[in-house]
């Protein structure tokens, strides 16, 4: 039942839907994500960017791994692939190589992409596979109940670090940059307008593009780290963030008590994997013909 | 929370008005729409949905400039795709809210 909230409180016409509904499998709503979770706004920003750039919905593929964020591919009304844990990038690589005209996107969690899937990430960067990878970094393993992730800041609490984390986390934009990604950015799910712009910019490019989206997980991260309400995390993201486009990615590590650097950090051109593969195919064909 | 969103421009500009819609059963009472609205148009209501979550409601107080200006922040920030804004046809004279930070969200 929809409802218009004016002082008169007139009911809405039943065909009136949220603008996101044309991209949603609406019958699966409400989704399972907790109150205040940053995954929903991130997906909406991505969808609006697809709309802005004018990408045909039938050409969009959304590949995800396992985790809360991994559920996203089942909620959206685009061709999707909910793959095994950590393997979203290899599945997406396969799709892109076989159907190069598709717009292939990986949207998944930090545990999925940087813990179990870390190797796939760096090698896809290195090869410059034509993919857009968006990682919702909530600093924790959300789905399994709040264990330490490879992105948890030093000192933070999780179910597996009850006395505080001693392991330095990955600085994921630096990892992507050093591994060869052609586009690297970081935003938060509270900076939704700038995130949307950044996604649109990345969608217009080719090659391996990476956007880290800092995302509130009030339930499994916030609750253990004095950020119980989504508003506390929103405040942290909003008040301690500094926008620095083109920043040196070596200097964007996230540390508690220090500014969070956001921005579009890297934009470069590089030979694409698919282009090089096609050239190789031609070379092999010519070699085979010469032998005849 | 709203401090950064309240950056008001001094000159008077034409501002569009918005009409807020909600799909009640989706709301999980996270309060993000309420906290992020730069005009403080929304507040938590007594009304609950079938899961017992308190829904937001509109409190327009034109004299305090608490008028929905159709900026869409609540819509893009809502994790549940529950709330959205439709621009009303008529425009009204008011002070712009499009300060440096408010458009960042
Ligand atoms: C091979 C394998 N190992 C471990 C798991 C358990 N598991 C499920 S989700 C997950 C981590 C998810 O964390 P993240 O990717 O950060 O996603 P979030 O839930 O935080 O969105 C783990 C370890 C699994 N499903 N499969
Ligand atoms: S556990 Fe965290 S990441 Fe998972 S749905 Fe809840 S808030 Fe989102
Ligand atoms: S559209 Fe903007 S002004 Fe209107 S209620 Fe939403 S956040 Fe507030
Ligand atoms: S942001 Fe959405 S889910 Fe949260 S209180 Fe507002 S309408 Fe409800």
């Amino acid at each position: 039942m929809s409802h218009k909230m004016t002082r008169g409180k007139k009911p809405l016409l039943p065909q009136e839907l949220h603008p996101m509904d044309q991209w949603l499998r609406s019958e699966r709503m409400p989704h399972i994500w907790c109150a205040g979770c940053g995954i929903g706004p991130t997906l909406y920003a991505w969808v609006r960017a697809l709309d802005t750039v004018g990408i045909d919905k039938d050409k969009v593929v959304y590949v995800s791994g396992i985790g809360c964020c991994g559920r996203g591919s089942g909620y959206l009304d685009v061709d999707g692939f909910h793959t095994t844990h950590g393997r979203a990038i290899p599945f997406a690589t396969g799709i892109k190589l076989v159907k190069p005209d598709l717009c292939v996107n990986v949207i998944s969690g930090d545990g999925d992409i940087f813990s179990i899937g870390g190797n796939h990430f760096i090698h896809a960067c290195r090869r410059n596979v034509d993919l857009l990878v968006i990682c919702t970094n909530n600093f924790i393993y959300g789905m399994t109940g709040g264990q330490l992730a490879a992105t948890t800041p030093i000192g933070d609490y999780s179910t597996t670090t009850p006395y505080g984390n001693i392991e330095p986390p990955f600085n994921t934009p630096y990892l992507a940059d050093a591994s060869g990604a052609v586009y690297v950015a970081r935003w938060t799910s509270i900076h939704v307008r700038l995130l949307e712009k950044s996604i649109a910019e990345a969608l217009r490019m080719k090659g391996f593009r990476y956007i880290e989206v800092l995302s509130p997980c009030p339930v499994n991260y916030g609750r253990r780290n004095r950020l119980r309400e989504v508003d506390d995390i929103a405040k942290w993201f909003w008040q301690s963030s500094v926008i620095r486009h083109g920043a040196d990615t070596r200097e964007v590590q996230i540390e508690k008590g220090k500014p969070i650097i956001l921005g579009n950090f890297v934009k470069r051109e590089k030979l694409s994997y698919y282009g090089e593969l096609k050239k190789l195919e031609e070379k092999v064909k010519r070699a085979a013909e010469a032998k005849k | 929370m709203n401090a950064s969103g309240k950056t008001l421009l001094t000159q008077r500009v034409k501002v569009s008005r918005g009409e807020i819609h909600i799909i009640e059963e989706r709301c999980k009472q996270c309060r993000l729409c309420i906290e992020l609205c730069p005009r403080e148009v929304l507040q938590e209501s007594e009304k609950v949905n079938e899961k017992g979550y308190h829904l937001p409601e509109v409190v327009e107080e034109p004299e305090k400039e608490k008028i929905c200006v159709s900026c869409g922040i609540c819509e893009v920030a809502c994790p549940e795709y529950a709330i959205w804004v439709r621009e009303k046809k008529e425009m009204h004279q008011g002070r712009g809210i499009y300060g440096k930070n408010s458009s960042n969200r």
Side-chain angles (χ1 to χ4, degrees):
Chain A
M1 184 187 59
S2 301
H3 214 287
K4 181 170 125 186
M5 294 195 308
T6 59
R7 275 166 291 190
K9 289 188 181 166
K10 291 179 212 133
L12 278 180
L13 296 169
Q15 69 265 34
E16 288 204 81
L17 292 170
H18 191 284
M20 179 66 168
D21 275 69
Q22 49 183 314
W23 290 84
L24 283 179
R25 296 176 204 262
S26 305
E27 72 283 3
R28 299 198 183 166
M29 294 294 118
H31 52 60
I32 58 148
W33 298 317
C34 315
C37 179
I39 299 169
T42 303
L43 293 186
Y44 191 24
W46 173 64
V47 155
R48 290 194 314 275
L50 286 168
D51 245 345
T52 310
V53 178
I55 296 173
D56 181 1
K57 203 172 157 188
D58 288 337
K59 297 271 181 222
V60 177
V61 184
Y62 171 6
V63 189
S64 66
I66 301 297
C68 297
C69 187
R71 304 281 303 223
S73 56
Y75 287 133
L76 292 204
D77 185 27
V78 295
D79 287 328
F81 211 149
H82 191 179
T83 72
T84 48
H85 199 17
R87 315 299 176 215
I89 290 175
F91 277 88
T93 303
I95 295 168
K96 187 67 196 181
L97 292 183
V98 176
K99 297 251 177 200
D101 60 320
L102 298 180
C103 166
V104 186
N105 303 262
V106 171
I107 309 176
S108 217
D110 50 295
D112 191 66
I113 294 181
F114 291 105
S115 298
I116 188 167
N119 251 317
H120 298 302
F121 181 85
I122 55 176
H123 290 287
C125 286
R126 178 177 66 82
R127 294 179 179 129
N128 196 23
V129 185
D130 193 11
L131 299 176
L132 171 60
V133 176
I134 298 175
C135 175
T136 56
N137 178 5
N138 51 19
F139 313 109
I140 208 86
Y141 291 177
M143 176 160 275
T144 43
Q147 294 83 358
L148 184 80
T151 47
T152 312
I154 286 192
D156 274 359
Y157 300 94
S158 68
T159 54
T160 46
T161 54
Y163 299 99
N165 173 30
I166 57 163
E167 301 178 11
F170 273 135
N171 170 354
T172 78
Y174 180 36
L175 185 63
D177 182 8
S179 307
V182 297
Y183 184 85
V184 182
R186 175 196 280 151
W187 295 102
T188 81
S189 68
I190 304 298
H191 294 73
V192 267
R193 297 277 191 215
L194 292 173
L195 170 63
E196 177 186 340
K197 269 192 208 159
S198 169
I199 299 176
E201 188 178 23
L203 282 169
R204 290 190 175 97
M205 291 172 64
K206 290 204 179 310
F208 192 97
R209 293 141 290 157
Y210 171 62
I211 301 174
E212 176 179 47
V213 184
L214 307 181
S215 173
C217 171
V219 172
N220 275 322
Y221 173 75
R223 190 159 50 96
R224 298 189 176 88
N225 291 287
R226 278 174 257 114
L227 297 161
R228 182 173 286 271
E229 303 295 330
V230 61
D231 193 33
D232 300 330
I233 305 180
K235 250 183 222 161
W236 172 39
F237 285 171
W238 194 252
Q239 290 171 352
S240 57
S241 59
V242 184
I243 297 170
R244 211 175 284 157
H245 294 301
D248 185 336
T249 55
R250 286 174 296 186
E251 287 157 18
V252 303
Q253 178 68 288
I254 292 169
E255 287 171 67
K256 278 288 175 66
K258 293 213 175 140
I260 301 177
I261 315 291
L262 305 178
N264 305 325
F265 303 137
V266 176
K267 202 173 176 181
R268 58 163 78 99
E269 281 186 26
K270 250 177 73 174
L271 294 174
S272 83
Y273 185 66
Y274 188 73
E276 293 306 290
L277 191 67
K278 284 283 131 190
K279 282 189 214 160
L280 182 66
E281 244 178 60
E282 288 304 312
K283 193 173 162 186
V284 173
K285 261 189 214 158
R286 279 198 305 274
E289 267 160 32
K291 268 193 190 163
K292 272 183 202 163
Chain B
M1 182 67 226
N2 277 319
S4 52
K6 278 186 200 152
T7 338
L8 294 176
L9 298 180
T10 42
Q11 80 269 34
R12 298 190 69 85
V13 290
K14 282 221 161 179
V15 188
S16 59
R17 290 274 209 99
E19 199 174 61
I20 300 295
H21 300 250
I22 189 166
I23 300 175
E24 294 183 356
E25 65 268 24
R26 289 187 187 172
C27 176
K28 291 182 188 158
Q29 201 190 334
C30 73
R31 296 179 54 89
L32 265 182
C33 54
I34 298 168
E35 301 293 344
L36 295 179
C37 171
R39 285 295 175 113
E40 297 178 37
V41 167
L42 301 170
Q43 70 178 16
E44 204 168 281
S45 72
E46 288 299 310
K47 192 169 177 186
V48 290
N49 65 11
E50 58 199 2
K51 297 214 175 87
Y53 293 119
H54 284 267
L55 303 168
E57 68 182 358
V58 173
V59 272
E60 297 209 330
E61 289 176 44
E63 61 289 353
K64 289 188 188 160
E65 301 231 355
K66 290 188 179 180
I67 310 157
C68 174
V69 289
S70 190
C71 70
I73 296 295
C74 53
E75 174 183 319
V76 295
C78 172
E80 309 295 329
Y81 317 123
I83 192 164
W84 76 102
V85 60
R86 273 275 181 82
E87 209 168 306
K88 278 190 201 163
K89 287 282 175 295
E90 82 270 24
M91 307 281 266
H92 89 118
Q93 289 277 18
R95 280 189 294 157
I97 59 138
Y98 295 100
K100 202 162 150 262
N101 285 323
S102 59
S103 62
N104 281 350
R105 289 202 183 111

